[in-house]
Amino acid sequence: MPELVVTVLLAPSRLTLKLLRAFMWSLVFSAALVAAAVYGCIALMHVLCRPRRGCCGRPRRTPPACLSDPTLGEHCFLTLRSSGLRLHYVSAGQGNGPLMLFLHGFPENWFSWRYQLREFQSHFHVVAVDLRGYGSSDAPRDVDCYTIDLLMADIQDVILGLGYSKCILVAHDWGALLAWNFSIYYPSLVERMAVVSAAPMSVYQDYSLRHVGQFLRSNDMFLFQLPWLPEKLLSMSDFQILKTTLTHHKRGIPHLTPNELEAFLYGFSQPGGLTGPLNYYRNLFRTFPLEPQELATPTLLLWGEKDPYFEQGLVGAISSRFVPGRLEAHILPGVGHWIPQSNPEEMHQYMWAFLQDLLE
């Protein structure tokens, strides 16, 4: 068929797609402006209530002692083959079994897997990374350095760079979003997955378009589309918004000690410490709209009944995309978003049972 004819035939579809994307971006930035106004008021209120903290975050010069706890593992760095970036990771149990790779969410770092590092190092080589932009890992400032494709290449480079041909991928929140994508595009590198509190991007997209309540639960991702302002708002009154996110009596991590809170704030308080993590969000809508994808990697899915950020209905939406028999899903009653830290014993029980055949 002549190229001109093909171009003419495809023109309506291309125009429709461009209009859809333009409409989507107008909605995103409208929501971003509303979110900026709301979070701006919240940040200003924190400053007025605690004037001594000022309008900026206090830089932490010394990391808290819990980040150097030897029972969690050895601190190492790996230079990635694809990008040349250096990623920081904590490793324990090398030689004890298959690679179990942990991917954290926001606003977290490798330390969010402290309970799992202790639990599974007896039977696995456990590795918890600081994703690019976080903690001691390299943190390029350019938004284009945080596309999904580059982040998936990081995971591939970590697995192969550690000397393995596949792994058990354990992931939460943003790390889980990356894990879903990685299992689709690099299935040979993932033997099993344990995913906590996050849906694949295409599932989240389709579900949110039909459930406005999910958009309202994810209001912060619209704020994070804006340049520089989110960094400023999150750091005001010595990172009070982040502190509230992590320690709120209903939505935060139960029983988080002041020292453990500092383990998360330390990295964000360093110069430019918030820009890399927020750049993950600034790439979220670049691939809209997404095509539905079939999920086939054997997966354990754990979800909190009281998760304030993601509706329970997403579990059913995820199940509908799976090859039958490949997904084991559990909704934990009365539990929130931070399952690896709030309910580690329950999570460990499900994981041991899910992985039992690999240990026999």
Side-chain angles (χ1 to χ4, degrees):
M1 187 178 292
E3 185 176 346
L4 178 61
V5 175
V6 174
T7 302
V8 171
L9 291 175
L10 291 178
S13 297
R14 288 171 175 168
L15 178 60
T16 301
L17 185 58
K18 286 182 179 180
L19 291 174
L20 180 61
R21 284 177 173 165
F23 177 67
M24 182 273 296
W25 278 111
S26 67
L27 290 179
V28 167
F29 281 109
S30 297
L33 294 175
V34 173
V38 172
Y39 278 92
C41 292
I42 293 172
L44 181 60
M45 179 185 67
H46 287 316
V47 171
L48 294 176
C49 291
R50 304 171 181 86
R52 291 185 178 180
R53 293 186 181 178
C55 294
C56 299
R58 173 177 60 84
R60 276 73 173 163
R61 291 182 169 80
T62 305
C66 59
L67 287 178
S68 302
D69 185 345
T71 68
L72 298 178
E74 178 185 2
H75 291 257
C76 310
F77 286 88
L78 178 67
T79 299
L80 303 179
R81 184 186 61 180
S82 301
S83 63
L85 297 178
R86 283 208 325 160
L87 286 197
H88 167 255
Y89 66 95
V90 173
S91 168
Q94 187 168 5
N96 289 348
L99 173 64
M100 182 179 285
L101 181 62
F102 297 94
L103 308 177
H104 64 79
F106 176 83
E108 299 174 284
N109 55 35
W110 72 268
F111 185 71
S112 60
W113 299 110
R114 57 196 177 279
Y115 297 108
Q116 290 72 39
L117 288 171
R118 292 192 186 101
E119 178 74 13
F120 293 101
Q121 62 181 265
S122 61
H123 288 76
F124 298 92
H125 179 196
V126 291
V127 172
V129 299
D130 275 334
L131 295 170
R132 74 159 68 185
Y134 284 85
S136 299
S137 291
D138 284 349
R141 296 187 64 84
D142 193 338
V143 175
D144 291 335
C145 292
Y146 295 87
T147 63
I148 295 295
D149 288 344
L150 291 176
L151 296 171
M152 287 195 297
D154 287 355
I155 301 171
Q156 178 190 33
D157 288 347
V158 168
I159 296 169
L160 299 180
L162 291 172
Y164 292 86
S165 59
K166 57 185 176 180
C167 75
I168 298 160
L169 205 51
V170 185
H172 172 250
D173 190 76
W174 245 108
L177 188 151
L178 298 178
W180 284 120
N181 256 46
F182 190 78
S183 71
I184 293 168
Y185 292 103
Y186 298 87
S188 65
L189 295 180
V190 186
E191 187 169 13
R192 299 281 178 90
M193 285 207 305
V195 174
V196 187
S197 306
M201 293 177 67
S202 61
V203 175
Y204 179 85
Q205 167 197 274
D206 294 348
Y207 183 88
S208 297
L209 291 174
R210 300 193 305 272
H211 299 82
V212 178
Q214 181 55 60
F215 267 122
L216 298 177
R217 290 184 182 223
S218 307
N219 57 79
D220 56 349
M221 75 177 180
F222 297 108
L223 168 69
F224 297 159
Q225 302 307 309
L226 300 174
W228 70 264
L229 181 61
E231 285 91 329
K232 179 62 177 176
L233 295 179
L234 293 184
S235 64
M236 289 174 70
S237 191
D238 196 29
F239 305 98
Q240 185 57 46
I241 289 179
L242 290 181
K243 289 178 179 178
T244 301
T245 299
L246 293 167
T247 63
H248 190 274
H249 68 285
K250 288 185 177 180
R251 300 189 301 273
I253 304 169
H255 314 300
L256 191 70
T257 68
N259 202 34
E260 290 170 339
L261 174 61
E262 286 298 312
F264 296 119
L265 296 180
Y266 174 75
F268 297 129
S269 76
Q270 305 309 303
L274 281 167
T275 298
L278 295 182
N279 280 343
Y280 283 62
Y281 290 91
R282 290 170 178 142
N283 279 284
L284 260 180
F285 296 99
R286 289 191 173 193
T287 53
F288 179 89
L290 296 166
E291 292 295 325
Q293 295 159 316
E294 186 177 65
L295 304 169
T297 300
T299 301
L300 170 68
L301 176 63
L302 300 179
W303 207 272
E305 179 195 24
K306 300 294 185 181
D307 193 319
Y309 305 108
F310 297 111
E311 293 184 355
Q312 278 189 54
L314 280 164
V315 176
I318 295 169
S319 301
S320 68
R321 297 281 182 86
F322 252 93
V323 170
R326 298 292 181 88
L327 177 68
E328 178 185 328
H330 300 278
I331 297 176
L332 280 56
V335 175
H337 181 69
W338 314 95
I339 292 171
Q341 300 180 71
S342 65
N343 296 79
E345 295 87 356
E346 202 167 351
M347 177 177 176
H348 297 163
Q349 288 176 4
Y350 283 119
M351 286 184 63
W352 281 121
F354 179 66
L355 300 171
Q356 183 59 45
D357 61 304
L358 298 182
L359 303 173
E360 294 174 351

